[in-house]
Amino acid sequence: MSDTFKQLERAELDARLPLERILAAVRFNQDGLIPAIAQQHDSGEVLMMAWMNREALEETLASGRVCYWSRSRGKLWRKGESSGQQQHLRAASLDCDGDTLLLQVEQSGPACHTGRRSCFYVALEGEEARITSEPLIDPDTLYGKPSKEG
């Protein structure tokens, strides 16, 4: 753990530190990424988990529109750029070790690429997995793909 986060363990309520000092101490993994959990700000519903690099985090904090790092595309991914289902940042917090982000967001429509509100729709229950929600929007419609027949 960085000295900065160790020092924060004993910080007083409402203590303030320069953002640059905290960003410099964030514990990005070997690929330069940090997990970011998106949660609906008013309901507490966990919507998704994605990755951010420092550039995505800085852009998100500066613009208020959530930006992630797409590992599959190898580039910045502004949530909703292809689906229109944007996330607007309400608050951002780091965990006590500085290696995980919690983003309080205002999600427009589904957060999941499957068209569901949340990516967490597969409940593991005893010897079964149960689907807990239906898509709000057909994924083909969501991403403007022609629908599949058959």
Side-chain angles (χ1 to χ4, degrees), residues 44-111:
E45 178 183 22
V46 177
L47 300 170
M48 58 179 283
M49 191 291 281
W51 297 93
M52 288 185 160
N53 62 9
R54 182 161 176 167
E55 184 180 3
L57 176 55
E58 288 175 340
E59 179 178 316
T60 296
L61 295 173
S63 72
R65 181 167 172 208
V66 180
C67 177
Y68 297 107
W69 176 258
S70 172
R71 294 179 303 164
S72 62
R73 298 178 196 127
K75 66 178 191 170
L76 292 176
W77 159 47
R78 288 149 192 97
K79 181 68 175 154
E81 66 189 355
S82 57
S83 70
Q85 310 303 309
Q86 297 182 7
Q87 289 178 349
H88 296 279
L89 186 68
R90 292 294 188 96
S93 304
L94 285 160
D95 76 336
C96 58
D97 296 323
D99 63 3
T100 304
L101 282 163
L102 177 61
L103 306 174
Q104 300 282 325
V105 302
E106 176 69 39
Q107 172 70 46
S108 65

Side-chain angles (χ1 to χ4, degrees), residues 24 133 145:
S133 68
K145 297 177 186 171

